[in-house]
């Protein structure tokens, strides 16, 4: 049977793409196996590669603060990335690297089965909001496969750019509300049979 530790050990030994050559440590991700919320970044940076853990550098510190502002503890969410090995010099991951690594991310999502997925930055956003712009969809939710997927700016980009920083802070503060209204909207769009029976009864 598949499990998260199996995925993690496969990731640590993986040579499916060229990023394996430059890594010190692969970074499978971490968090509870039954986390309700999953955050997906871009790829490990310097500190993450050194330690083999996701979001442990300055952007990780910022992410922990953002999570707290939404009422979540870092240790209660599962945090991972689109690619599990550090792109050299923190360059963008290439399409073929994202593709090679997607198998691990897909298995993590299937195993954890989170209610909420938060994408951090353009590369994880593109998986659920293809062809869309982060400047337009940030802070917006989509219902997909029974989950709520919310797109957010990348904390590293927002950390040093004041205009983005205010936006990401606002989006995270509103995260519980964004999730709630996505759920409420779906409940309205697909009323349960018992709801409509109730409505009919009240008509007579
Ligand atoms: N940026 C990311 O996208 N992921 C990390 O793990 C750290 C920084
Ligand atoms: Fe394997 Fe993903 Fe690392 Fe590429 S980035 S070597 S696919 S674990």
């Amino acid at each position: 049977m598949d499990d998260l530790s199996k995925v993690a050990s496969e990731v640590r030994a993986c040579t499916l793409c060229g990023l394996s050559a430059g890594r010190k440590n692969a970074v499978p991700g971490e968090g509870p196996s039954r986390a309700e919320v999953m955050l997906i970044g871009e790829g490990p940076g310097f500190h993450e590669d050194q330690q083999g853990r996701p979001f442990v550098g300055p952007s990780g510190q910022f992410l922990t603060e953002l999570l707290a502002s939404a009422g979540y503890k870092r240790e209660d969410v599962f945090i991972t990335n689109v690619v599990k090995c550090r792109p050299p010099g923190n360059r963008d991951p290439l399409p073929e690297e994202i593709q090679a690594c997607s198998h691990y991310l897909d298995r993590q999502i299937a195993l954890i089965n989170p209610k909420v997925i938060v994408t951090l930055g353009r590369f994880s956003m593109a998986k659920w909001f293809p062809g869309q712009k982060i400047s337009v969809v940030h802070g917006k939710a989509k219902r997909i496969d029974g989950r709520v997927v919310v797109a957010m700016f990348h904390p590293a980009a927002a950390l040093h750019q004041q205009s983005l920083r205010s936006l990401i802070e606002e989006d995270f503060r509103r995260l519980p509300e964004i999730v709630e209204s996505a759920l409420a909207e779906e409940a309205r769009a697909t009323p349960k049979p018992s709801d409509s029976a109730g409505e009919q009864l009240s008509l007579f």
Side-chain angles (χ1 to χ4, degrees):
M1 208 188 75
D2 205 8
D3 68 45
L4 287 173
S5 52
K6 185 164 182 285
V7 176
S9 34
E10 287 176 38
V11 163
R12 289 194 194 96
C14 180
T15 54
L16 278 179
C17 85
L19 295 180
S20 61
R23 75 181 174 221
K24 177 167 183 202
N25 289 295
V27 182
E30 64 187 25
S33 57
R34 297 182 181 279
E36 291 199 351
V37 180
M38 187 168 178
L39 282 89
I40 307 175
E42 182 175 317
F46 173 81
H47 299 279
E48 291 76 23
D49 177 62
Q50 290 291 312
Q51 297 182 39
R53 297 180 54 212
F55 282 97
V56 287
S59 55
Q61 167 70 38
F62 185 38
L63 181 61
T64 303
E65 290 168 22
L66 292 167
L67 283 168
S69 79
Y72 298 117
K73 289 202 203 89
R74 180 184 162 115
E75 55 269 31
D76 291 340
V77 304
F78 194 92
I79 307 180
T80 190
N81 286 297
V82 166
V83 294
K84 315 298 194 201
C85 303
R86 183 189 182 206
N90 297 344
R91 67 154 167 76
D92 290 347
L94 302 172
E96 58 266 35
E97 293 162 351
I98 294 172
Q99 180 55 39
C101 215
S102 65
H103 174 61
Y104 300 121
L105 179 59
D106 292 341
R107 281 163 65 197
Q108 289 173 319
I109 295 169
L111 286 163
I112 296 164
N113 194 21
K115 284 197 188 127
V116 179
I117 291 177
V118 176
T119 64
L120 303 167
R122 290 178 289 135
F123 294 95
S124 47
M125 178 193 76
K127 197 173 168 75
W128 289 278
F129 297 83
Q132 296 196 264
K133 285 201 169 118
I134 187 89
S135 56
V136 176
V137 299
H138 75 90
K140 295 207 162 74
K142 213 171 175 176
R143 288 284 288 170
I144 302 166
D145 304 333
R147 312 181 204 288
V148 179
V149 184
V150 184
M152 298 283 196
F153 286 109
H154 195 289
L159 189 54
H160 302 294
Q161 210 176 315
Q162 190 52 48
S163 55
L164 291 189
R165 190 178 172 123
S166 310
L167 291 173
I168 199 177
E169 285 172 345
E170 173 70 8
D171 287 345
F172 264 91
R173 258 198 309 274
R174 289 185 48 244
L175 183 57
E177 178 193 323
I178 294 167
V179 170
E180 280 310 308
S181 59
L183 294 172
E185 204 166 297
E186 181 171 84
R188 266 199 308 279
T190 52
K192 293 189 209 102
S194 59
D195 291 350
S196 55
E199 254 166 47
Q200 279 179 1
L201 275 179
S202 70
L203 285 175
F204 295 99

